[in-house]
Structures are given as C-alpha cells and as structure tokens.
C-alpha cells in the first residue's frame, strides 16, 4: 500500500538538490542533484564577457528552473515511487540572494534591454560590493537610535536586502526604476511554483529588517537617499507567510516541470540554514545548529529575547513559529579550504594524493592530523570572505601569522581549519555573554564527513558535538515543512520529531586538547580584535587599494 511522500528541494550556491521523503518517518527514498550551468558569476558577465568589479557575486535565474525540471523528476525516478503519492513540495534557498523583477516576476536580466546590465542579475548572498551602502545604513541607524538595530547585533550586513537595493539605486538608477519587485530567491522560486508571491517570515525578518511588524521608516530611507524613500512600499513589502504554511497549490505548468501532481501543497519559502534545524531535531532551546559548507550559518531557538552583539538577527518565528530564532554565521569556511587547495598547495602534494587514491583535502587532513596542537606555529584569521559574525565587516580579509621557511602546506591547512573553529567559538561566546545559553553544537552540511575537523571543533568550543542523521539536511528540512503545509502534521515541532534525525554526542571534547586550544584561541582572539576592532585598519586600506587598482585597470581596458 502506498504511503504519503513529500519532496524537498535545496537551492545551494553551486547546485540544487531534490530529495523524496516518506512522511511517516522521514526516510529518504531518492535524491538527485543539478549543477548550475553558470555557477557563481564573479569574474565576467555571461551575456557580454565584460569583467565584474571586486566583491561581486551574481547568478543566472534560469539555472534554478533547471533544478525543478531536472533534479525533481530524477529524484522521483531514483526513489522508484509513484509521483501521485507526493502530497507536498518544500524549498529552501541561500540568503540573502536577491533578484529585481518585472511585475509578473520575470527577472530583469531576462529582458533584452537589461541582458548586459550586471545590476539586473541575481545578487548572490556573497555579493559584498554593497559594503559602502551598508556602512551608511549602520551609521544613520546609530545616529537616529533606530530601535531595530540592536536586534541585528548593532550592524546591518552588506549581504542583506536594503544595502543591495541601495547599491542598485545609486549605481544603476535605470535598473532600480524598472524594478517592480525586489525579491528573495526563496520567495521567487515559490512564486514560480504557485503563481503567488508570498514573502516568507524568515528572510523578511533576518534579511529585510522586519521587526515587530514594521520595516525601517520612510523618513529613515529618505535620509539615506531621497529616491529610496518608497523602497519598502513600492518594491519590497508583500503579504507574509509563516514558516510551515501553505503558500499555494502547485500550478499545472510547474507540475509539468517537476512531474508532480498539480494542486499539491507548496510550502512557504525558507532559508537553507534555518530549515535544517527541524531536520536535525534541534528546534528546542540551547541547541545551536551549524550548517557547514562553503560558509557556515549558526541558528538556534529560544523563548527568551536577548540582544546579542554581532549576531545576524533575532526574529520572532524565524525558525519555528512561537520561538525567537537567532542567527549568526561565517562567510567563508569550506570556501577557504577550497581556495587554499586550489592556490596554495605545491604540485608534489597533488601527486602524493593521486598515488594514494584520495582527494587532496583528505591527504592534507591526514598530514595535519598527525601534528600536535600548536606544532605548526601558526594562527590564522578566517576572514577570506569577510566576517559575518561577530564583526559584520566584509572589508576584512584573511590573515596567517607565524609562517617561516619551514612552514608546509599541511601546517597552513590545519591553521585554516582551526581558524574556522575559533570563529565559531567567538560566536558561541557572544551568545553566552548575552544570556542565550548554548549547550550543544549540532553540525550539518558537507563538512561533517571530515572527522578530524569535527573533533577540532568539539575541542575548540568545548561542547559535545552532535551530527545530523541526514546527508541532505536542508532538503530534508524542506520536505518536513512540506509535510506541515500539506496537513500531515500540526506544526513543525511535531514533524521534526517524526521526520528529523540526529546522532547525539558523536564528538566530545578531549580535556588535554581543550587546554591546548585555549592557549591558541587566546592568540586568535587578540589578532581578531587587533585587526577587526580598530587596532590596525590595514585590511580596510588594502581592500580600498584593491578596488582603486581594479577601477584604474578597468578604465584603461
């Protein structure tokens, strides 16, 4: 006898993944992946080949529809199930990833008159070129003593909705004028599936500065730029959907794309990190979920409202309705490791890894694991993609201290692994000092497969480290939300209990390692404050010089 199924679709930075899940117990029956043909557009614009400035990161929206047309039907085939048994579809997306659209949701970059305009494309979450606009938003909010600013740790990020939109207004006013809707991709995808534009409570709160039912005022926006005064009312504000709610039925057109039955429930959109918490059975207080991939996002729920310096936000119902959801994050983690492997490793290491039949990451990890703590003599700062928490400063860049002529690739690699763990500890300590306890770290994402890295994290943060029971945490979380939207469970907590999966306490702190890492962490913290809190602004000056040199070169070409 057939059983009800849901489908979860996770739209990541480089690919989209679909998973077919049994509603009764969360069993994952089939999965498929679709790689975005255009990937991350950060060098040249596909339509023209024109070079992009530093700190830009765009995407092509048609890539996302390829996930629906390809990965969803393939996952159904992989599961060997009848599509008629699927009762709901849920999706999640990277955030803050934004697209300017026409009135019907057509991305402006798909219109011939805007195909050559970079500002008409999707601005990926890691587009950091709006830092000057973010700086002005923060300075004005502090000057006006805006009550919403402490809810975001005292700083609004250049990654978020307002800064990115203000950048378009000031650098491409014709694109801004043509923008009817400024849309999170989490909501744009649901719009394509249902024909209804519903704004989700998660991104509206964390990335759209929606607090206590209000956005920043018209007066505030006018003071930033007179042409920005009607941004909220004219381009942003839409009806809000709670997480787990039904956004609408799957349209006939979207049913043809996906091979799923028309009319099934489509859940309100969500963010990849936040949707993972129910998949890891971590919707209760004190359980911080770290979704570790190219970047890391840290989320946890609490009944208490506190203002945590340097956090990405606290939102009522931001993870599950009825609780305050907290978010923090690190802009670069797996990306840093990948960068080093691509650019910093001598050829002989590649050859050694090839002979051993392992990846270069695994080879370097094995070499690094044979060292004693501190043996490499290095401390690194994990800011190669800026700092999201607790400094909220994307002008910062990576630092490695202590290199000598004897320093080897595995030394630097291990220092970078440790640096990301130190960054997570900084975040946890910020929450704890603010009165938000963190009693357990639950890890999800691709990096959980690195057992050495996981033990480093347990030792550095001195907490038991649990591991999600699924390799597809965000997609499973979206499938859980789909089950709630379809009426199979009364709420997200009940669905999480039945469909989520976690292995508790897989890695536990080793007392000797904790003591050794405490000494290294003290050095990290001193460097963190020196370079990140005004001791020396050299990283900001270098970033400014890089932009200036790139601008001169562009003018000469």
């Amino acid at each position: 006898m057939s059983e009800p199924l849901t489908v979860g679709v996770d739209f990541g930075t480089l690919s989209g993944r679909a998973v077919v899940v049994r509603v009764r117990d969360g069993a994952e029956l089939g999965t498929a992946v679709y790689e975005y043909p255009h990937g991350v557009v950060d060098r040249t614009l596909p339509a023209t080949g024109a070079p992009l400035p530093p700190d830009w990161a765009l995407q092509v929206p048609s890539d996302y529809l390829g996930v629906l047309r390809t990965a969803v039907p393939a996952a159904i085939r992989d599961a060997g199930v009848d599509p008629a048994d699927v009762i709901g579809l849920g999706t999640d997306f990277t955030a803050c990833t934004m697209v300017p659209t026409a009135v019907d949701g057509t991305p402006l970059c798909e219109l011939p008159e805007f195909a050559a305009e970079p500002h008409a494309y999707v601005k990926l979450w890691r587009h950091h070129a709006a830092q000057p606009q973010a700086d002005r938003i923060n300075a004005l909010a502090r000057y006006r003593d805006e009550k919403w600013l402490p809810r975001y740790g005292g700083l609004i990020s250049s990654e978020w909705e307002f800064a990115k939109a203000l950048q378009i207004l000031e650098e491409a006013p014709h694109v801004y004028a043509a923008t009817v809707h400024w849309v999170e991709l989490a909501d744009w995808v649901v719009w394509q599936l249902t024909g209804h534009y519903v704004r989700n409570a998660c991104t509206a709160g964390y990335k759209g500065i929606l607090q206590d039912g209000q956005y920043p005022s018209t007066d505030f926006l006018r003071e930033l730029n007179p042409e920005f005064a009607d941004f909220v009312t004219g381009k942003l504000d839409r009806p809000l959907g709670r997480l787990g709610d039904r956004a609408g039925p799957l349209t006939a057109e979207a049913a043809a794309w996906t091979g799923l039955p028309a009319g099934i429930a489509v859940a309100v959109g969500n963010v990849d990190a936040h949707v993972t918490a129910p998949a890891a059975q971590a919707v209760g207080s004190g359980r911080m979920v770290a979704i570790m991939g190219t970047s890391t996002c840290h989320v946890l729920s609490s009944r208490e409202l506190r203002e945590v310096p340097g956090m990405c936000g606290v939102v009522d119902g931001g993870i599950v309705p009825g609780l305050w959801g907290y978010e923090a994050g690190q802009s670069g983690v797996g990306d840093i490791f990948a960068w080093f492997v691509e650019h910093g490793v001598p050829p002989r290491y590649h050859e050694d890894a090839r002979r051993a039949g392992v990846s270069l990451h695994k080879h370097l990890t094995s070499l690094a694991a044979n060292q004693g703590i501190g043996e490499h003599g290095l401390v690194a700062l994990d800011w190669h993609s800026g700092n999201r928490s607790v400094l909220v400063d994307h002008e910062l860049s990576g630092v490695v201290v202590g290199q000598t002529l004897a320093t080897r690739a595995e030394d630097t690699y291990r220092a970078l692994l440790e640096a990301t763990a130190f960054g997570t500890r900084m975040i946890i300590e910020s929450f704890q000092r603010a009165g938000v306890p963190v009693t357990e770290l639950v890890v999800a994402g691709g990096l959980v497969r690195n057992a050495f890295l996981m033990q480093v994290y347990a030792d550095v943060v001195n907490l038991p480290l649990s591991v999600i029971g699924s390799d597809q945490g965000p997609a499973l979380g979206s499938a859980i939300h789909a089950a709630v939207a379809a009426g199979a469970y009364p709420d997200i907590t009940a669905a999480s209990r039945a469909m989520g999966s976690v292995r508790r306490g897989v890695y536990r702190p080793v007392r000797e390692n904790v003591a050794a890492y405490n000494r290294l962490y003290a050095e990290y913290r001193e460097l963190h404050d020196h370079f990140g809190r005004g001791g020396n602004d050299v990283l900001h000056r270098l970033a400014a010089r890089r932009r200036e040199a790139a601008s001169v070169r562009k003018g000469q070409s």
Side-chain angles (χ1 to χ4, degrees):
M1 184 176 177
S2 62
E3 292 193 74
L5 310 171
T6 56
V7 173
V9 185
D10 168 40
F11 292 87
T13 299
L14 297 174
S15 63
R17 182 180 301 271
V19 62
V20 180
V21 178
R22 190 164 59 204
V23 171
R24 171 169 55 87
D25 57 4
E28 297 169 29
L29 306 179
T31 188
V33 179
Y34 178 80
E35 304 286 339
Y36 302 150
H38 297 93
V40 176
V41 178
D42 56 3
R43 300 282 184 175
T44 60
L45 199 65
T48 64
L52 293 171
D55 301 320
W56 277 62
L58 309 177
Q59 288 197 311
V60 177
S62 60
D63 289 356
Y64 309 136
L65 298 183
V67 177
L68 301 175
R69 293 188 173 107
T70 305
V72 174
I76 292 291
R77 290 194 299 271
D78 184 55
V81 297
D82 185 347
D85 293 332
V86 176
I87 63 172
L89 173 65
T91 60
D92 65 82
F93 223 100
T94 60
C96 173
T97 298
M98 304 297 301
V99 63
T101 78
V103 66
D104 63 352
T106 300
L108 293 190
C109 63
E110 295 182 357
L111 302 178
E113 61 268 35
F114 291 114
E117 172 52 70
H119 279 294
Y121 284 75
V122 172
K123 281 186 166 58
L124 184 62
W125 64 269
R126 71 184 193 198
H127 175 91
H128 293 152
Q131 188 63 48
Q133 286 77 19
D135 291 341
R136 285 167 44 215
I137 291 170
N138 289 321
L140 181 60
R142 286 192 294 269
Y143 174 76
R144 291 171 51 107
D145 196 24
E146 295 287 341
K147 66 179 182 180
W148 43 261
L149 190 61
R151 297 275 182 95
Y152 299 96
L155 291 165
I156 300 302
S157 171
S158 67
E159 296 181 359
W160 297 354
E161 295 177 8
F162 282 70
K164 286 175 173 173
L166 186 58
Q167 184 194 15
I168 295 178
L169 169 62
E170 296 178 339
E171 297 181 7
H174 62 296
V175 176
Y176 184 84
T179 300
V180 178
H181 299 294
W182 181 233
V183 188
E184 282 275 0
L185 266 296
D187 300 327
W188 184 82
V189 165
V190 172
W191 192 355
Q192 306 312 299
L193 291 169
T194 66
H196 299 295
Y197 178 14
V198 178
R199 193 156 153 73
N200 75 84
C202 183
T203 55
Y206 291 106
K207 315 302 178 184
I209 321 182
L210 179 63
Q211 290 287 346
D212 301 325
Q214 295 182 325
Y215 293 97
S217 68
T218 299
D219 287 344
F220 176 84
L221 301 178
R222 182 182 295 110
E223 197 165 344
L224 281 172
N225 186 312
E227 300 300 317
F228 204 51
D230 64 350
F231 167 64
V232 168
T233 56
K235 302 182 188 296
L236 184 68
D237 195 17
R238 294 291 296 180
L240 209 63
R242 295 193 323 159
L243 304 183
D245 281 358
R246 183 178 184 268
L250 189 69
T251 66
E253 181 182 23
W257 297 340
T258 59
L260 301 177
I264 64 171
V266 177
V268 166
N270 210 327
V271 179
D272 50 3
H274 304 70
V275 80
T276 302
Q281 294 184 338
V283 294
S285 295
R287 289 176 173 167
M288 174 177 280
V289 182
I291 300 88
M292 296 179 61
T294 55
S295 63
T296 294
C297 188
H298 307 76
V299 298
L300 77 159
S301 294
S302 176
R303 297 189 181 280
E304 302 298 325
L305 173 61
R306 297 285 187 271
E307 294 171 353
V308 183
M311 67 179 172
C312 295
V314 54
V315 174
D316 188 7
I319 300 173
V320 291
L323 294 176
W324 291 98
Y326 292 85
E327 178 193 344
Q330 293 165 268
S331 295
V333 179
D335 268 356
I336 298 176
F337 311 151
W339 162 81
F340 180 73
V341 163
E342 182 176 355
H343 298 289
V345 181
R348 69 176 179 83
Y349 284 83
H350 294 261
E351 182 60 26
D352 290 344
R354 188 192 64 79
R355 284 199 300 267
V358 298
S359 70
L360 189 51
H361 283 285
K362 190 168 185 178
H363 179 55
L364 288 169
T365 298
S366 178
L367 294 173
N370 287 327
Q371 300 180 359
I373 295 172
E375 183 180 334
H376 50 47
L378 306 175
V379 177
L381 295 176
D382 50 319
W383 298 344
H384 296 66
S385 191
N387 181 285
R388 185 184 298 164
S389 299
V390 296
L391 300 173
V392 197
D393 187 347
H394 294 292
E395 295 284 273
L396 297 173
S397 50
V399 175
V400 180
V401 174
Q403 289 179 322
T404 72
L405 295 179
T407 300
R408 299 162 297 176
E410 59 267 32
D411 301 336
T412 305
Y413 189 75
R414 175 166 179 152
L416 294 173
L417 298 181
E418 292 168 341
T420 66
F422 294 149
T424 288
R425 178 168 169 177
M426 288 288 297
I427 291 168
I428 291 173
E429 289 182 350
S430 294
F431 276 96
Q432 291 172 330
R433 283 194 299 269
V436 181
V438 180
T439 57
E440 178 186 15
L441 186 63
V442 185
V443 178
L447 293 179
V448 300
R449 291 187 286 271
N450 188 327
F452 171 70
L453 179 64
M454 295 298 98
Q455 187 60 51
V456 168
Y457 268 67
D459 293 336
V460 167
V461 305
N462 195 20
L463 286 173
L465 193 152
S466 302
V467 176
I468 191 172
S470 170
D471 291 334
Q472 326 292 346
L476 174 59
S478 288
I480 289 172
H481 281 70
V484 177
Y489 291 97
D491 54 43
I492 295 170
T493 300
S496 169
R497 191 178 304 115
M499 299 176 67
S501 177
V502 66
R503 293 179 290 136
R504 300 271 180 218
V506 176
Y507 300 92
R508 295 188 174 275
V510 177
R511 184 171 57 183
E512 296 80 5
N513 294 351
V514 170
Y517 273 127
N518 281 342
R519 292 191 288 272
L520 271 184
Y521 176 68
E523 304 293 349
Y524 172 92
R525 187 172 54 211
E526 186 168 340
L527 290 173
H528 175 281
D529 291 349
H530 179 71
F531 287 109
R533 288 185 164 137
N536 189 322
D537 287 333
V538 61
L539 301 182
H540 293 94
R541 295 194 297 271
L542 291 175
R545 288 172 187 166
R546 180 183 60 169
R547 283 193 299 271
E548 180 182 354
S551 177
V552 170
R553 177 182 289 273
K554 184 178 179 181
Q556 293 172 344
S557 61

